[in-house]
Amino acid sequence: MSRVLIIESSARQQDSVSRQLTQQFISQWRAAHPADQITVRDLAVKQVPHLDIDLLGGWMKPAGQRSPVEQAALDRSNELTDELVAADVVVLAAPMYNFAIPSTLKSWFDHVLRAGVTFKYGDTGPQGLLTGKRAYVLTARGGIYAGSPSDHQEPYLRQVLGFVGIHDVTFIHAEGLNMGGDFSEKGLNQAVAKLAQVA
């Protein structure tokens, strides 16, 4: 049995293409792997706060010196990190907002990229500690950006996932969704077709 962790980050609940792709992924995965455990964390429903002084205090202070607020921030980070560490497969549903990822997803990364837990520094530099996992990134984009200098999503996500040791990453882009005409239909159909091959 594998554990699958799905991170939803679209601000929209209705008419969200990234959520549509997520639902297709879940349906296909359950059909192919009925014994697997799937956990969905929706960052729009239960937002993760931005990195702040309380979380830094929770990470850096000894237990006896933490304030209740710092301890609560640490507990939240531990919960998110434990989910990621336990997962065999990670799915990030990431619409493109202003050429990048939603700030909610960035906040999630800020909670789980933790020295000594998901990565460490050695003599040759940083080393990811979450090796052996697979990741799928489902994006929804109003324009067409893949492979262009305006695509700040894919390079960033490859870097941060690789930083913690996750190098087996598959991107599925639904592009041209706001361009009208045949672009939006073609972009969605291509994403759906690629997603059908995943499970």
Side-chain angles (χ1 to χ4, degrees):
M1 181 191 78
S2 295
R3 293 187 177 94
V4 181
L5 174 62
I6 296 176
I7 305 296
E8 292 275 24
S9 63
S10 174
R12 295 191 294 176
Q13 294 293 319
Q14 303 295 324
D15 302 319
S16 166
V17 172
S18 65
R19 291 180 185 278
Q20 178 181 335
L21 295 176
T22 300
Q23 290 307 308
Q24 179 179 333
F25 177 92
I26 292 173
S27 177
Q28 291 176 186
W29 197 271
R30 280 184 171 151
H33 311 277
D36 284 4
Q37 175 185 324
I38 297 178
T39 299
V40 179
R41 179 167 288 275
D42 193 331
L43 302 178
V45 173
K46 189 175 182 180
Q47 292 190 7
V48 177
H50 291 298
L51 177 64
D52 59 16
I53 191 65
D54 294 322
L55 181 54
L56 293 176
W59 284 340
M60 297 177 180
K61 292 181 181 180
Q65 296 180 19
R66 295 180 201 129
S67 71
V69 175
E70 290 169 338
Q71 184 62 52
L74 176 61
D75 291 343
R76 180 179 59 243
S77 177
N78 287 341
E79 179 183 359
L80 297 173
T81 304
D82 288 347
E83 284 182 345
L84 177 59
V85 170
D88 303 292
V89 178
V90 180
V91 181
L92 304 177
M96 178 180 277
Y97 291 165
N98 300 317
F99 306 104
I101 62 174
S103 62
T104 51
L105 183 55
K106 174 61 165 60
S107 294
W108 179 81
F109 274 116
D110 287 340
H111 277 68
V112 301
L113 270 65
R114 294 176 56 181
V117 182
T118 56
F119 72 93
K120 67 178 181 180
Y121 287 106
D123 294 337
T124 59
Q127 176 185 345
L129 300 177
L130 303 186
T131 57
K133 301 181 188 296
R134 283 181 290 164
Y136 298 94
V137 182
L138 316 177
T139 76
R141 300 162 163 198
I144 298 175
Y145 299 99
S148 78
S150 298
D151 185 357
H152 304 292
Q153 266 193 331
E154 183 168 339
Y156 172 75
L157 290 172
R158 284 194 185 279
Q159 181 174 355
V160 293
L161 290 169
F163 188 71
V164 296
I166 304 175
H167 299 283
D168 184 355
V169 184
T170 300
F171 280 80
I172 298 174
H173 300 301
E175 297 202 293
L177 301 178
N178 294 337
M179 294 175 64
D182 294 333
F183 287 103
S184 58
E185 182 177 358
K186 180 180 178 181
L188 181 57
N189 287 343
Q190 287 178 339
V192 168
K194 187 173 182 179
L195 187 56
Q197 303 171 10
V198 165

